[in-house]
Amino acid sequence: AKAHGKNGYTIFRPEMYKDSSEELFLETQLRKAVEQNEFVLHYQPQVNIHTGEMIGLEALIRWDHPEVGMIPPCKFIPLAEKTGLIVSIGEWVLEEACRQNKEWQEKKILPKVKVSVNLSTQQFIKQDLVDVMKETLKKTNLDPHCLEVEITESMAMDFSRAVKVLNEISELGVSISMDDFGKGYSSLSYLKRFPIHSLKIDKSFVNDILVDENDAKIVGTIIAMAHGLGMKVIAEGVENKEQLQYLKEQNCDQVQGYYFMKPLSPYELEANLDQMIRD
Ligand code: C2E
Ligand code: CA
Ligand code: CA
Ligand code: CA
């Protein structure tokens, strides 16, 4: 394998998945990253749309590669999924997010907010997921009500097992959010049978609210339907005041997006808390 350094870097292009030797190289790098703990979490606030209060933070992983610098999740999560490395990465994410939230609460840097962790399909189908979550909550001493997991529709492949696992997670006191809603083959029967507390409208819809009348209608309809089913709705990818205004009119509950704050490192987040836009 070739190419190190910031210029002419070719290791992490998506095309490399076609080339097995490059993929093998990335896999070796990724294994090393797991062993040497080269990952970091950034956090993005989730805001109550009516009060402007921060009520949660989504934990988003980045790979802080010693030579390349910060690598976004889209560049390595797919291979991590494919190789199964996502399981140990995901366990680290869970523990680190819980630990960080507990620390912020204890130091009174943050009030009691939820930290949301993205689960991968590989993690979800592993038998010990609920035990791992239980252990992690115990170890970090975080109130289960301050943890949320974000799942996607792809996890419903084994429908009855998914219902069972989600019920167990819910019984721990952990909330469950359906991520990327509307993006895939969303099925209303999932919503009916899963113990889901909130539904996250995918940013592709939010993005087009102001330009595409159909997207605007879909967003309004998703919000009304979710409320009808007793769920809260969070819209992701809110980038401007106009989108926020529309979501408010449609009675959306929570928002997350660059308009409020980009995902930030813990250090940056602490430094920027007082500057968060409250509208
Ligand atoms: P996602 O779960 O849908 O996360 C939302 C993505 O939208 C994040 O990208 C976030 O930085 C970005 N975003 C937030 N606000 C805005 C906005 O206003 N406009 C735009 N255009 N984008 C916004 P990110 O951090 O690059 O993560 C990408 C995806 O990688 C995530 O999508 C999630 O599927 C996956 N991912 C991230 N962290 C983890 C993790 O710890 N575990 C797993 N399994 N997947 C993760
Ligand atoms: Ca998410
Ligand atoms: Ca999304
Ligand atoms: Ca997602």
Side-chain angles (χ1 to χ4, degrees):
K2 48 189 183 286
H4 281 272
K6 295 221 156 64
N7 301 319
Y9 199 79
T10 61
I11 295 172
F12 298 101
R13 275 185 285 125
E15 304 94 273
M16 72 194 176
Y17 287 98
K18 294 186 199 118
D19 181 331
S20 63
S21 71
E22 296 240 27
E23 180 173 315
L24 201 62
F25 176 69
L26 178 63
E27 188 180 331
T28 310
Q29 292 274 304
L30 201 55
R31 281 187 197 283
K32 191 183 119 249
V34 172
E35 277 162 25
Q36 304 187 352
N37 198 9
E38 293 174 358
F39 301 103
V40 292
L41 293 183
H42 284 190
Y43 296 89
Q44 186 179 38
Q46 301 176 324
V47 175
N48 178 319
I49 201 169
H50 305 294
T51 64
E53 229 182 330
M54 188 204 295
I55 44 176
L57 290 162
E58 181 174 5
L60 294 154
I61 196 170
R62 276 97 183 84
W63 176 1
D64 191 2
H65 190 286
E67 283 120 33
V68 187
M70 223 49 102
I71 303 171
C74 60
K75 299 276 171 71
F76 64 91
I77 292 284
L79 187 64
E81 281 268 358
K82 192 175 158 190
T83 54
L85 284 168
I86 192 70
V87 174
S88 47
I89 295 173
E91 287 177 3
W92 175 81
V93 170
L94 184 69
E95 181 170 334
E96 176 57 16
C98 290
R99 188 205 61 74
Q100 180 70 77
N101 194 12
K102 182 70 185 178
E103 183 189 310
W104 275 330
Q105 291 182 12
E106 280 190 332
K107 291 188 176 163
K108 309 257 183 253
I109 289 168
L110 288 182
K112 248 190 157 190
V113 297
K114 277 189 171 72
V115 67
S116 295
V117 170
N118 292 282
L119 285 189
S120 75
T121 308
Q122 289 293 324
Q123 263 177 298
F124 191 76
I125 60 180
K126 272 207 74 194
Q127 294 297 332
D128 63 354
L129 173 66
V130 179
D131 289 334
V132 167
M133 289 181 66
K134 226 185 276 179
E135 281 302 307
T136 304
L137 286 165
K138 205 168 127 191
K139 184 171 173 191
T140 58
N141 202 20
L142 182 73
D143 179 350
H145 297 100
C146 292
L147 176 64
E148 178 173 75
V149 289
E150 299 192 3
I151 62 160
T152 56
E153 287 138 348
S154 58
M155 294 171 194
M157 248 119 80
D158 183 348
F159 193 86
S160 50
R161 205 187 96 80
V163 172
K164 183 174 169 279
V165 172
L166 292 174
N167 277 320
E168 287 173 10
I169 292 174
S170 186
E171 276 157 23
L172 294 177
V174 174
S175 1
I176 300 163
S177 179
M178 178 66 95
D179 204 357
D180 295 340
F181 189 78
K183 205 169 129 185
Y185 298 94
S186 312
S187 161
L188 296 179
S189 62
Y190 299 161
L191 292 186
K192 219 177 67 186
R193 292 206 27 215
F194 287 171
I196 296 164
H197 305 93
S198 63
L199 203 154
K200 201 163 188 179
I201 301 178
D202 190 63
K203 60 176 177 288
S204 58
F205 292 106
V206 175
N207 190 49
D208 290 347
I209 278 176
L210 304 168
V211 289
D212 186 330
E213 211 179 304
N214 286 328
D215 280 336
K217 278 184 193 149
I218 290 171
V219 166
T221 307
I222 292 175
I223 294 170
M225 178 198 66
H227 285 165
L229 291 168
M231 296 170 198
K232 297 265 182 221
V233 182
I234 174 160
E236 69 174 14
V238 177
E239 293 182 356
N240 57 56
K241 219 176 168 124
E242 291 73 28
Q243 292 167 339
L244 176 65
Q245 188 52 38
Y246 180 79
L247 291 162
K248 247 185 210 169
E249 283 161 16
Q250 297 299 313
N251 210 18
C252 187
D253 304 287
Q254 300 165 19
V255 273
Q256 179 182 346
Y258 296 167
Y259 181 63
F260 298 92
M261 212 183 260
K262 290 199 169 177
L264 297 177
S265 71
Y267 173 79
E268 292 169 318
L269 185 85
E270 288 178 23
N272 283 284
L273 274 175
D274 52 339
Q275 284 174 37
M276 211 174 68
I277 298 168
R278 289 152 212 271
D279 232 280

